């Protein structure tokens, strides 16, 4: 059945549109965008007082399937995505087995076709089993459908291997996504190295673990003129390196997570293991720098790094607990609260970092609302407050540091390829 979205404020960063318009969806496609559309027999969604935005695009999600279906599956992860307003998620390759060959890629596409609520694009591994020893079959991975290469969770320590990865990725016109962390500097660390790690008696990870890695990767980028996307930037110094590289017209882009924009290492005082993430929550100055980086366009993308973990992996002493938090269901609300409401970015600018920017980096035709385009749409009530409660998460894992928080911006509908996949 056709869907007619009435009187919503369309906020589409790709076209710059910010007007009250009706949107008619027929089949999987946006048929018409105009004022006052009249059509018989369509299901009408009254979006008066709501914003209508492109379905969000998360370029950094961990879906845990295959391998850890107790923590998340393609089905549950995409259900959580739909609830958060996402219609596209890119899944990182640190599954078991790893996404380092075409068989695993086709398994993911098959599972997604059967069970996913929204679209899934796999990211392929840079090295076989993410071990940093041999390159994966990057050409065959691209043919199978991966949209990026990453050994996420690990940095490619071997510079020669990384150089080759950049060269192949360039031929394939796919970005290399780097988890920038020198493992020797971060080895025993469990939180940011600084004042709070000292008073809490926890071993620290210095910002230099990231900075050193970012510097090496940008140097290799310069050597190869390939494309580099830096995952989850966390500190001011590495941000400065990205800024400089951008000024020199190197093809580097970067992302930040909602949790790194919201929390600082002070939050670890609670010893809540849901504040344990990798890279760690940094200092207040770093958080402020990340916000400025977002404003200045040094950071192009907000990505969740949605990382589900079971209670067994989280309910441990702080040093032993797994790193990572879930993020799909709270991302948009946190961005509105931390970035839009304080006036750091306009709503349109913030939505760009969650839609068209990641789409362009990955070279996928998503993240915008246009006539003839795929009908991926989220309808959001910005002023509706909601409380984050553990029982309400659709993700199989509940490891969120935001449980108990009251947030603005409730996703009321998510439409994927013309079908309502989430309704509040
Ligand atoms: Zn990572
Ligand atoms: Zn990750």
């Amino acid at each position: 059945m056709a869907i007619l979205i009435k009187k919503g404020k369309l906020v589409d960063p790709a076209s710059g549109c910010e007007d009250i318009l009706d949107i008619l969806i027929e089949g999987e496609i946006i048929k018409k965008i105009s004022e006052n559309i009249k059509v018989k027999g369509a299901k009408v969604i009254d979006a008066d007082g709501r914003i209508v935005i492109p379905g969000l695009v998360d370029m950094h999600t961990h879906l845990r399937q295959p391998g850890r279906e107790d923590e998340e599956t393609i089905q549950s992860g995409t259900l959580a995505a739909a609830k958060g307003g996402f219609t596209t998620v890119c899944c990182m390759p640190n599954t078991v087995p790893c996404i380092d060959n075409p068989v695993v890629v086709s398994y993911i596409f098959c599972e997604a076709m059967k069970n996913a609520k929204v679209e899934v694009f796999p990211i392929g591994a840079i090295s076989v089993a993410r071990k940093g020893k041999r390159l994966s079959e990057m050409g065959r991975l691209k043919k199978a459908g991966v949209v990026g290469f990453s050994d996420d969770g690990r940095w490619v320590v071997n510079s020669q291997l990384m150089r080759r990865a950049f060269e192949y990725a360039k031929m394939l016109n796919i970005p290399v996504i780097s988890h920038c962390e020198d493992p020797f500097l971060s080895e025993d660390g469990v939180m940011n190295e600084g004042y709070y790690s000292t008073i809490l008696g926890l071993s620290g990870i210095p910002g230099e673990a990231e900075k050193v890695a970012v510097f090496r990767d940008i140097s290799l980028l310069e050597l190869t003129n390939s494309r580099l996307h830096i995952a989850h930037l966390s500190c001011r110094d590495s941000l400065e390196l990205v800024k400089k590289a951008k000024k020199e017209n190197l093809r580097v882009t970067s992302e930040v997570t909602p949790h790194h924009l919201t929390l600082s290492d002070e939050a670890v005082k609670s010893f809540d293991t849901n504040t344990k993430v990798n890279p760690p929550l940094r200092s207040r100055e770093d958080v402020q720098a990340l916000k400025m980086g977002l404003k200045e366009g040094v950071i192009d993308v907000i990505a969740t790094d949605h990382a589900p973990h079971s209670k067994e992996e989280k309910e441990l002493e702080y040093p032993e607990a797994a790193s990572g938090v879930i993020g799909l269901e709270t991302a948009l609300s946190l961005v509105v609260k931390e970035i839009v409401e304080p006036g750091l970015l306009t709503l349109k600018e913030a939505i760009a970092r969650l839609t068209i920017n990641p789409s362009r980096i990955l070279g996928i035709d998503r993240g915008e609302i246009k006539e003839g385009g795929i009908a991926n749409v989220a309808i959001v009530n910005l002023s509706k407050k909601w409380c984050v409660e553990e029982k309400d998460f659709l993700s199989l894992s509940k490891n969120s540091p935001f449980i108990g928080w009251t947030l603005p911006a409730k996703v009321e509908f998510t439409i994927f390829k013309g079908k309502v996949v989430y309704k509040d």
Side-chain angles (χ1 to χ4, degrees):
M1 193 206 274
I3 297 176
L4 179 59
I5 304 170
K6 292 289 284 180
K7 292 203 169 80
K9 182 176 177 188
L10 173 59
V11 180
D12 178 47
S15 63
C17 176
E18 240 175 323
D19 299 310
I20 309 269
L21 289 166
D22 293 353
I23 299 172
L24 177 64
I25 296 169
E26 274 181 25
E28 294 187 357
I29 301 298
I30 292 171
K31 182 85 178 166
K32 194 174 177 189
I33 303 170
S34 161
E35 279 173 44
N36 218 353
I37 300 175
K38 288 202 174 73
V39 62
K40 275 188 193 141
K43 171 191 161 70
V44 175
I45 297 176
D46 179 12
D48 193 12
R50 308 326 193 234
I51 57 159
V52 180
I53 55 176
L56 305 178
V57 176
D58 188 22
M59 68 181 290
H60 192 145
T61 314
H62 297 272
L63 290 177
R64 303 288 188 232
Q65 189 179 3
R68 285 306 300 266
E69 289 82 353
D70 59 319
E71 295 186 326
E72 197 78 285
T73 62
I74 288 169
Q75 183 170 40
S76 65
T78 54
L79 205 59
K83 187 177 172 198
F86 290 89
T87 53
T88 306
V89 295
C90 301
C91 59
M92 281 296 176
N94 61 335
T95 47
V96 189
C98 171
I99 312 178
D100 63 359
N101 67 78
V103 178
V104 183
V105 176
S106 37
Y107 166 80
I108 287 167
F109 279 130
C110 270
E111 269 301 310
M113 195 142 38
K114 276 188 285 180
N115 295 318
K117 290 288 163 191
V118 303
E119 192 162 36
V120 177
F121 286 111
I123 308 281
I126 293 170
S127 68
V128 174
R130 294 167 49 252
K131 284 191 172 154
K133 297 245 163 30
R134 274 189 303 130
L135 282 186
S136 64
E137 298 175 275
M138 295 168 80
R140 291 181 64 210
L141 281 168
K142 151 119 197 202
K143 250 189 212 145
V146 305
V147 293
F149 292 113
S150 182
D151 272 3
D152 188 43
R154 290 187 197 134
W155 187 52
V156 178
V157 176
N158 182 327
S159 302
Q160 174 66 358
L161 193 83
M162 190 63 162
R163 176 189 181 168
R164 294 285 172 248
F166 271 126
E167 287 168 347
Y168 280 110
K170 184 184 174 186
M171 281 193 292
L172 300 167
N173 192 24
I174 281 189
V176 174
I177 302 169
S178 186
H179 170 113
C180 286
E181 176 191 9
D182 182 318
F184 300 101
L185 278 172
S186 66
E187 198 173 11
D188 299 315
V190 300
M191 68 172 292
N192 182 46
E193 183 173 303
Y195 173 76
Y196 287 103
S197 66
T198 309
I199 62 161
L200 297 174
L202 293 171
S203 54
I205 301 173
E208 280 70 14
E210 180 175 288
K211 182 182 174 183
V212 164
V214 169
F215 186 83
R216 198 278 319 255
D217 283 349
I218 289 175
S219 305
L220 292 178
L221 177 68
E222 199 169 359
L223 181 66
T224 56
N225 191 28
S226 186
R227 278 202 290 144
L228 166 65
H229 177 79
I230 297 171
H232 43 54
L233 262 184
S234 72
C235 47
R236 181 176 52 193
D237 284 359
S238 33
L239 191 77
E240 288 302 319
L241 292 171
V242 177
K243 190 171 175 174
K244 181 168 169 285
K246 284 198 163 194
K247 270 203 191 120
E248 291 163 5
N249 289 322
L250 294 176
R251 296 192 294 168
V252 60
T253 51
S254 67
E255 79 192 22
V256 64
T257 71
H259 50 273
H260 286 107
L261 287 171
T262 309
L263 299 170
S264 72
D265 56 357
E266 190 182 353
V268 182
K269 274 200 310 194
S270 65
F271 284 102
D272 175 2
T273 56
N274 288 329
T275 62
K276 189 176 178 190
V277 285
N278 189 16
L281 299 172
R282 299 289 186 186
S283 70
R284 264 194 213 171
E285 293 72 43
D286 288 313
V287 175
Q288 204 45 41
L290 292 172
K291 288 183 174 172
M292 288 316 291
L294 203 55
K295 187 177 169 69
E296 291 170 5
V298 181
I299 300 174
D300 311 85
V301 169
I302 301 170
T304 68
D305 197 3
H306 177 84
H309 284 291
S310 64
K311 288 223 184 297
E312 293 72 47
E313 288 180 358
K314 276 293 193 184
E315 288 179 358
L316 296 168
E317 293 290 310
Y318 203 90
E320 276 77 49
S323 296
V325 295
I326 54 169
L328 287 166
E329 295 169 68
T330 49
L332 179 62
S333 294
L334 288 170
V335 169
V336 169
K337 177 179 187 292
E338 292 295 322
I339 305 299
V340 179
E341 287 186 347
L344 206 72
L345 293 182
T346 65
L347 180 66
K348 192 165 68 179
E349 289 167 339
I351 298 299
R353 284 150 182 79
L354 286 157
T355 55
I356 192 67
N357 290 7
S359 301
R360 283 185 182 144
I361 289 166
L362 299 167
I364 55 175
D365 182 21
R366 298 290 182 271
E368 56 187 317
I369 293 183
K370 59 181 178 191
E371 286 181 356
I374 294 181
N376 290 351
V377 177
I379 302 174
V380 183
N381 187 341
L382 283 179
S383 53
K384 187 165 171 185
K385 301 248 192 264
W386 62 287
C387 184
V388 184
E389 291 191 57
E390 181 172 331
K391 66 172 174 48
D392 294 334
F393 281 120
L394 296 181
S395 171
L396 284 184
S397 294
K398 316 294 173 191
N399 51 310
S400 168
F402 302 111
I403 291 169
W405 287 40
T406 298
L407 298 177
K410 190 80 195 69
V411 175
E412 294 187 335
F413 286 89
T414 303
I415 297 170
F416 169 62
K417 288 193 174 172
K419 286 204 175 72
V420 175
V421 288
Y422 175 76
K423 184 172 181 293
D424 185 33

